[in-house]
Structure formats: C-alpha cells, structure tokens
Amino acid sequence: MENGMAGTMTRRVMLALPAGMGMARGQGRKLKVVVAGGHPGDPEAGCGGTVARYTEAGHEVTLLYLNRGQKGCGSKGQKECGEVRTAEAEKACGILKARARFAAQSDGEAVVDGQRYGEFRKMLEAEAPDVVFTHWPIDNHRDHRAAWALVYDAWLGMGKKFALYYYEVSDGEDTVMFAPREYVDISGTEGKKRAACFAHASQDPEKFYALQAKVTGFRGIESGYAQAEGYVRQEGSAGGMLP
Ligand SMILES: [Zn+2]
C-alpha cells in the first residue's frame, strides 16, 4: 500500500514538472525543428536562445522566413533591402548553426489564400519537421498573423504530426495577450541569441535587443531561470519537445 502511494505521488510530481525541465521526448535522436517567422530577425528574437540549445544538442533547425523584409530599410529600394536582410539572416543562422529558408512573400503584403496555404504546406512537408514554432496568432504585424495562419493550416492538413509551439516577438511592440505556459532556460545561450539579433544590423538592434532582454529576463523570473524564452503549446499538439 505504501509503495502504491509513493508511486502515485511520484507520477504526480513528474506531471507537475514544466516541459523544459523533463527529458525532451525526442532526446536520443536527431530532431528536425522549424522556426517560422514573418521577417528576418523574428525567429531569432523569439526563439534564438532555444534554437542555440537545439543545435548545441545536435538537432537540426531551419529558420523559415515568410519574406525577406524588403520594406524594412528606410529609403533603400526593396530589391537592395531584401538582399541586405537576406545576408543578415544568413549570418544570424550561421551564428545559431541553423539553416535559412525563405517563402516567396512580400514584406507587409502577406497573402493568405488557397494557393499560399498549399505552397507553404509543401515547404513544411519538405522539411518533415518534428517540431514547429511560429508567431502567436494575436500580433500587431499582419505578416506575423499570416505566418501563424499558414503554419496552423499546414499543421491541420498534415494530420497534426509535428509538435506546434507559439513564441512571442519580444520587442515590446508586436505580440499581444501572450501568456506562456512552458519555458526554455536560455541563460547559457543568451550570448548566441544576442549575436544573432545583432547580425540584423540594419534593424536598430541596440534598441530592440534591449527590449527583448527585458522580456527574457521577465520570463526568467516567471520560470526560475536567469533568462528564459516562453512558449504556448497548441492544444492537441504533442508535448515534451522543448530543449
Ligand atoms: Zn516581423
């Protein structure tokens, strides 16, 4: 009887552990991870520390950008700006040991229709991911909301076969009404995240990284780490996939 009680208590304790503290379900095999974002810099800002945790553990990560941020360089033309920001994204991915991939959408003009749903799903199917991260759906940038819609539709269409997590773009301006439930300790990888964010030199990283650091510090206070990234896991998604 006593043993039975102890067993029940142990199970309860294990269920109460945050996912980030348990063994990642895919541990022991190489995971394929995709972090989808609207623009160059979004996956790095929301998940850079987590991406570094994955790649340091030998997992394979792709940062999938919906567009090349063509309108985000002030007076520069869109073609030139897209080239600058593509190079910045490649540099950031090099720092995080991730791979960059771009969907062929335009900055600020994301299209969500039957054709784009199909194209985006094909891109994800080609990646065959175990885990996908994307923007939280309530976000002040329309491209971020579009990225969420495209990923969510692919998740449904692919039979919910990859784990699906939502991240916040922690620059204090975009993601709203976000209350994370799971956390990744990025205290040891914050330096790589910082370097990846600063690779986006055209995007005023001094200003935005300071805001991001406040958010990861706050998420750390919530979760008991020095610095943390917070996530919401989609209901119905497999869990236990965070590093
Ligand atoms: Zn963005």
Side-chain angles (χ1 to χ4, degrees), residues 174-211:
D174 290 340
T175 305
V176 289
M177 296 175 69
F178 184 78
R181 304 285 300 275
E182 301 183 29
Y183 299 86
V184 172
D185 175 11
I186 66 157
S187 311
T189 53
E190 190 271 336
K192 280 188 186 172
K193 173 179 182 166
R194 175 187 294 263
C197 290
F198 273 80
H200 295 278
S202 69
Q203 300 302 302
D204 202 359
E206 293 83 2
K207 176 188 167 191
F208 287 111
Y209 197 81
L211 291 167

Side-chain angles (χ1 to χ4, degrees), residues 38-39 42 135 141 144 174:
H39 312 94
D42 287 326
H135 291 281
H141 201 300
H144 299 180
D174 290 340

Side-chain angles (χ1 to χ4, degrees), residues 131-142:
V131 194
V132 176
F133 295 81
T134 191
H135 291 281
W136 171 247
I138 306 172
D139 191 290
N140 289 334
H141 201 300
R142 56 171 64 162

